[in-house]
Amino acid sequence: MENASTGAEGGAVQARSTMRVTLEVNGREHALDVQARTTLLDALRDRLHLNGTKKGCALGQCGACTVLMDGERVNACLVLAVMAQGRHITTIEGLRGGDGLLHPLQRAFLDHDGFQCGYCTPGQIMSGVGCIEEGHAGSRAEIRQYMSGNICRCGAYVNIVEAIFETAVGTRP
Amino acid sequence: MGAIGKPVARVDGPAKVTGTATYAAEFHPENMAYAALVHGTIPRGWIKSIATDAAESVPGVIAVVTHLNAPRLPWKPVDAAPVDPGEGEQLRPLHSDEILFAGQPIALVIAESQETARAAAALVSFTCVPSDGAGLVFDRARARPPSDGTRESYPAEWERGDAEGAFASAPRRIEGSYLQPRLFHNAMEPHATIAAWDDEGKLTLWDKSQWVDNVRDQITRNFGLAEDEVRVISPFVGGAFGSALRCWPHVTMAAMAARIARRPVRLELTRRELYTAVGYRPYTLQDVKLAADEDGRLRSVIQTAYGLTSAYEDYGEEVLDPVGMLYDTMSARTVYRLVELDTNTPTPMRGPGAVTGVFALEMAIDEMADAMDMDPLEFRLKNYAERDLKKDLPFSSKALRSCYETAALRFGWEKRDPRRRAMHDGNMLVGYGMATAVWPAMQAPASVRIRLFANGTAVVRTAASDMGPGTYTSMTQVAADRLDLPVERVTFELGDSSLPMAPVHGGSMTMASVGNAVAAGCKKLRDDIARLDGAEDGEHPVETLMRLRRDSFEVDGAAEPGAEAGTHSSYAFGAVFAEVRVDPDFGTVRVPRLVGAYDGGVIVNPRTARSQAIGGMVQGIGMALMEAGEWDDRLGRVMNANLAEYLVPVHADVEELEAVFVESEDRIFNPLGVKGIAEIALCGVAPAIANAVWHATGLRIRELPLTPDRLLMAEQAARTS
């Protein structure tokens, strides 16, 4: 019996020529050539060298690549770079205020030891900022539900929830 | 300054919350190309043909490498590192047409971008001829003793007293079989390697590694290089839990690709590839037999473990180490067997072996207590071991009694109704369960280089790693403490094989190994400065340097295990208490509360230590309730090789976690008095939860994970019987 296969499931995909896009990331515009299939995540990491946005699965399952697009949290691995044109992208590198100080949630992560290895941390923080903005940080239970798209394998969840809850309370009008 | 024992905030925290901590895939050497892998689809056989022209014709593709055109590497023999199996040989990637497991890499595409490399990889077509191999079905009838090299560490049989005789004649007996499925580390950072050769033929690897020195040594041998021709850099590791102990085949392939492309190449594994390119905790089946006297004294513990291994390497682990030492039992016997499958080789995962063995033993102990009509905690205290009866040595320290008492008190164990299915909260069944945790404390030789500057700062360097527990921070504290400097004036550097030798960052031994080397180095530095001409008694070494107009002073320091290993037995201990809520209609289990108390020796940083402990609890919730690699024994593949189908705990699964470190120091084990806390934090969590589920429901489910289908089927079986 013989067993014939191609190298990946989903069949062959022909490479196509690149196209020029302009991405606005953290208030700065970047012109770059991408393929239609280039994700926002790969554009950020491999082209713009903005390493803070992490690649954990590239399948929209772990949340490590969470960024804000027009203020809403998205998995950058599920957004094509071409779809991000004309949108305001905010990554962890753009979270500091104009004064250069850490965002209150970044400070809260330090205060509550909201991480160990640090790999999911930028995604947790960006997601936490979105969670607070959405008004979904009213209680620890609510935060747990609305942060469940961000996996932390080191298991810092209770510390992350405390950091978000404290920040949400502190920033409530 | 007394920095040891202070809850110092992580020194690398600011880098991690701002996204500037740089992990392996995030270096950007100039002109870097990108690699993607093609995988075989059959579990055993040969590659008959492989066609690469379609992939090669894709614009942007630099090269396609297969076993037909890969460079012939010298593969000089490697002395098995302690992280490698005792027998067998690791897969040599792209080395021959032989296929040893489904998912084995059979081609590598190098391209100008990651997207192009991956798309072109899909265009590589091949045919394979399947052959007979070890097989795909885990069948205990095919079990065999570990081979000679494995048996040295993990004996096939061990016995104290006449365990079977004692079992046969004891008045109270229980026995059961326990299954733990294949578990995957699934650290958030995928494994990645960037390889770059320079004009002189020297190789630099940016790699995800828990042991840069080992990666250097193995790559040196694979490529026939000299030790100073390979440098491995790994400043940040995005979690690993054991998956980055070994030097895996993809590291060799990255270096191979960079040599072919004549430019730096990055090989970053996909999440799916992590289920075949690195190891996993092996599927393990265990039989446990316990016997006791009428008064609750254990007479016999007999535990047999059948662990999975690959057909090409003999992987063993310390599943049965706790048996015979954890309780004061008159006799004990262990039997260890391996079952070969055509699959990739298992590897240590947090608490390797002990977590598996303790899961079965601690569930059985709970069943025995129930059979005796005794409180599970009382039963354990009744059989408390004051001495390691297995090694016949005194413990260098043991505060397990204090762990039991502390955790029981914090948990409110006295509120437990001893009857099963007796506690409720509305419609929910409530259960309380507990288990013991144990992990051997270990130390390995380590070395450091310390430079003290006259401006009152110090830099400490060693080739250690920090996969998340806080090596950077805790070592900074040890140095600050011993040099009498503020923490912020000390810098600790790690993760570079050009730095002084450090042991593997695993087995909970970094603090005991590297920590004591830092302390010894600091002492040597102070002693040497105090002996300088013109040094004055009692002055701080910085004052001496200033007065003598020396800019700085450097020493090398080292530490290694002392003679105590032959005279004492050293273990970390813990006690874990769990509360569960079980929905009787849906069979869903929630864990609203876990309390753990640990005897880990001196705690250098209670803040990072707590994070490590509660992190272990979270992984334990995963092990108890959701984690399992679902093996297809016709195709030889793990079917749920992604984070949507291999479930791990998320925020919504975790509520209250409490970790307490009891008063403990072990100055016999090592001068710092530390024992290590990484593995112990996962050990015992799953059986505590399983025992709580039994208490809540009366259902004794001996297969992990405790998913709703298993609960409902057990419930149905209980009703019909």
Side-chain angles (χ1 to χ4, degrees), chain A residues 77-144:
Chain A
C77 71
L78 295 185
V79 176
L80 295 172
V82 294
M83 295 160 63
Q85 288 202 88
R87 316 289 293 270
H88 304 289
I89 308 298
T90 308
T91 71
I92 191 77
E93 290 90 349
L95 204 56
R96 278 176 198 254
D99 48 12
L101 294 177
L102 294 179
H103 184 281
L105 188 55
Q106 289 174 308
R107 281 207 310 275
F109 265 65
L110 293 175
D111 292 344
H112 290 280
D113 206 34
F115 52 90
Q116 287 192 62
C117 80
Y119 198 78
C120 75
T121 310
Q124 298 278 358
I125 291 174
M126 297 312 292
S127 194
V129 169
C131 183
I132 294 168
E133 284 293 310
E134 293 158 19
H136 288 143
S139 69
R140 291 176 180 85
E142 190 181 25
I143 293 168
R144 284 197 286 268

Side-chain angles (χ1 to χ4, degrees), chain B residues 148-179:
Chain B
D148 292 347
T150 309
R151 236 184 280 187
E152 286 170 22
S153 308
Y154 315 110
E157 275 106 24
W158 170 86
E159 185 161 20
R160 185 184 67 243
D162 176 15
E164 291 288 359
F167 181 83
S169 63
R172 300 297 194 102
R173 295 191 289 260
I174 62 120
E175 53 188 304
S177 292
Y178 303 84
L179 177 68

Side-chain angles (χ1 to χ4, degrees), chain A residues 1-18 33-39 42-64 91-96 102-103 105-122 124-127 140-141 143-162 164, chain B residues 9-10 12-14 16-23 25-28 34 37-39 41-42 48 58-59 113-116 118-130 184-190 236-239 241 266 268 270-272 274 349-350 466-470 590 607-616 618-619 622 627 637 641-657:
Chain A
M1 190 183 87
E2 285 194 4
N3 197 317
S5 291
T6 53
E9 285 122 62
V13 183
Q14 284 298 323
R16 301 202 192 287
S17 56
T18 58
D33 296 317
V34 299
Q35 300 174 18
R37 61 178 161 232
T38 303
T39 61
D42 285 339
L44 291 170
R45 285 171 67 82
D46 292 351
R47 308 298 164 77
L48 301 181
H49 295 183
L50 290 169
N51 293 327
T53 306
K54 302 302 182 190
K55 181 184 274 191
C57 69
L59 296 166
Q61 299 170 343
C62 78
T91 71
I92 191 77
E93 290 90 349
L95 204 56
R96 278 176 198 254
L102 294 179
H103 184 281
L105 188 55
Q106 289 174 308
R107 281 207 310 275
F109 265 65
L110 293 175
D111 292 344
H112 290 280
D113 206 34
F115 52 90
Q116 287 192 62
C117 80
Y119 198 78
C120 75
T121 310
Q124 298 278 358
I125 291 174
M126 297 312 292
S127 194
R140 291 176 180 85
I143 293 168
R144 284 197 286 268
Q145 289 299 323
Y146 281 88
M147 286 296 294
S148 278
N150 289 82
I151 296 173
C152 170
R153 188 57 162 159
C154 297
Y157 293 128
V158 295
N159 294 352
I160 294 170
V161 169
E162 281 310 305
I164 294 172
Chain B
R10 287 173 197 268
D12 52 345
K16 287 178 173 175
V17 301
T18 56
T20 53
T22 308
Y23 300 81
E26 299 171 348
F27 290 85
H28 298 285
Y34 301 81
L37 300 173
V38 180
H39 308 94
T41 49
I42 61 167
K48 187 184 176 199
V58 173
S113 74
Q114 188 68 72
E115 303 92 286
T116 301
R118 208 162 295 296
L123 298 176
V124 174
S125 59
F126 54 89
T127 54
C128 295
V129 182
F184 289 87
H185 310 76
N186 269 319
M188 296 314 297
E189 182 204 12
F236 288 98
V237 175
F241 318 112
R266 183 184 81 189
E268 183 179 24
T270 65
R271 179 58 56 179
R272 181 188 293 273
L274 295 175
M349 176 167 157
R350 194 175 191 172
D466 187 348
M467 61 175 150
R590 307 281 304 167
R607 177 183 175 122
T608 53
R610 173 182 169 272
S611 289
Q612 207 170 350
I614 62 175
V618 172
Q619 292 179 356
E627 294 189 37
R637 296 189 206 178
N642 61 73
L643 287 170
E645 294 168 287
Y646 181 98
L647 301 184
V648 299
V650 298
H651 277 279
D653 295 311
V654 178
E655 297 180 46
E656 278 180 50
L657 304 177

Side-chain angles (χ1 to χ4, degrees), chain B residues 365-442:
Chain B
I365 289 284
D366 207 68
E367 294 179 42
M368 192 77 230
D370 176 51
M372 303 289 308
D373 237 351
M374 282 176 77
D375 176 89
L377 176 55
E378 185 197 338
F379 182 67
R380 285 169 172 89
L381 287 168
K382 179 114 190 168
N383 292 286
Y384 192 86
E386 300 288 358
R387 179 182 171 84
D388 183 343
L389 296 173
K390 191 166 194 176
K391 294 196 191 80
D392 195 22
L393 291 173
F395 291 112
S396 55
S397 67
K398 181 175 180 180
L400 176 58
R401 199 182 294 278
S402 171
C403 293
Y404 286 138
E405 287 164 0
T406 305
L409 191 67
R410 308 286 303 199
F411 183 82
W413 183 251
E414 81 284 354
K415 294 196 210 74
R416 179 180 188 264
D417 187 323
R419 297 167 301 159
R420 69 189 83 165
R421 220 179 171 107
M423 294 170 71
H424 299 87
D425 180 14
N427 186 38
M428 295 291 151
L429 303 173
V430 177
Y432 287 3
M434 54 92 53
T436 312
V438 64
W439 178 256
M442 292 178 282

Side-chain angles (χ1 to χ4, degrees), chain B residues 159-360:
Chain B
E159 185 161 20
R160 185 184 67 243
D162 176 15
E164 291 288 359
F167 181 83
S169 63
R172 300 297 194 102
R173 295 191 289 260
I174 62 120
E175 53 188 304
S177 292
Y178 303 84
L179 177 68
Q180 176 230 273
R182 189 188 291 220
L183 300 173
F184 289 87
H185 310 76
N186 269 319
M188 296 314 297
E189 182 204 12
H191 284 249
T193 308
I194 295 172
W197 297 86
D198 70 12
D199 296 338
E200 296 166 14
K202 291 189 178 177
L203 175 65
T204 301
L205 296 166
W206 290 269
D207 186 36
K208 171 173 178 149
S209 174
Q210 290 171 251
W211 197 6
V212 289
D213 285 350
N214 181 52
V215 174
R216 176 200 57 206
D217 292 348
Q218 303 235 357
I219 294 298
T220 297
R221 302 235 173 81
N222 293 357
F223 284 81
L225 299 167
E227 186 176 302
D228 65 354
E229 290 179 311
V230 179
R231 181 179 176 197
V232 183
I233 299 170
S234 182
F236 288 98
V237 175
F241 318 112
S243 71
L245 294 170
R246 299 188 75 187
C247 177
W248 296 107
H250 68 269
V251 183
T252 297
M253 285 193 284
M256 215 188 260
R259 180 177 269 183
I260 291 163
R262 297 179 178 278
R263 52 196 273 199
V265 171
R266 183 184 81 189
L267 176 53
E268 183 179 24
L269 300 181
T270 65
R271 179 58 56 179
R272 181 188 293 273
E273 284 167 348
L274 295 175
Y275 288 74
T276 48
V278 300
Y280 52 88
R281 192 195 300 280
Y283 179 103
T284 304
L285 185 62
Q286 296 177 78
D287 299 329
V288 183
K289 290 158 67 171
L290 300 181
D293 284 340
E294 291 291 358
D295 67 349
R297 286 292 313 274
L298 276 169
R299 292 182 58 142
S300 178
V301 178
I302 302 168
Q303 193 161 335
T304 303
Y306 300 87
L308 183 160
T309 188
S310 72
Y312 59 96
E313 285 181 300
D314 209 50
Y315 176 80
E317 55 181 23
E318 305 204 5
V319 182
L320 300 167
D321 179 67
V323 182
M325 63 70 60
L326 196 52
Y327 294 103
D328 185 357
T329 166
M330 291 171 223
S331 67
R333 171 173 159 78
T334 66
V335 179
Y336 191 42
R337 294 291 182 265
L338 296 177
V339 177
E340 289 179 21
L341 293 188
D342 288 318
T343 186
N344 53 312
T345 308
T347 209
M349 176 167 157
R350 194 175 191 172
V355 161
T356 303
V358 164
F359 145 67

Side-chain angles (χ1 to χ4, degrees), chain B residues 553-577:
Chain B
F553 193 90
E554 185 175 87
V555 299
D556 287 343
E560 58 183 23
E564 80 289 337
T567 57
H568 288 81
S569 170
S570 298
Y571 281 86
F573 295 93
V576 188
F577 288 70

Side-chain angles (χ1 to χ4, degrees), chain A residues 1-3, chain B residues 41-48 97-102 128-136 311 342 634-635:
Chain A
M1 190 183 87
E2 285 194 4
N3 197 317
Chain B
T41 49
I42 61 167
R44 181 79 159 208
W46 286 272
I47 304 164
K48 187 184 176 199
D97 60 354
E98 189 178 12
I99 289 180
L100 300 173
F101 58 90
C128 295
V129 182
S131 69
D132 290 337
L136 300 174
D342 288 318
R634 297 158 303 153
L635 295 172

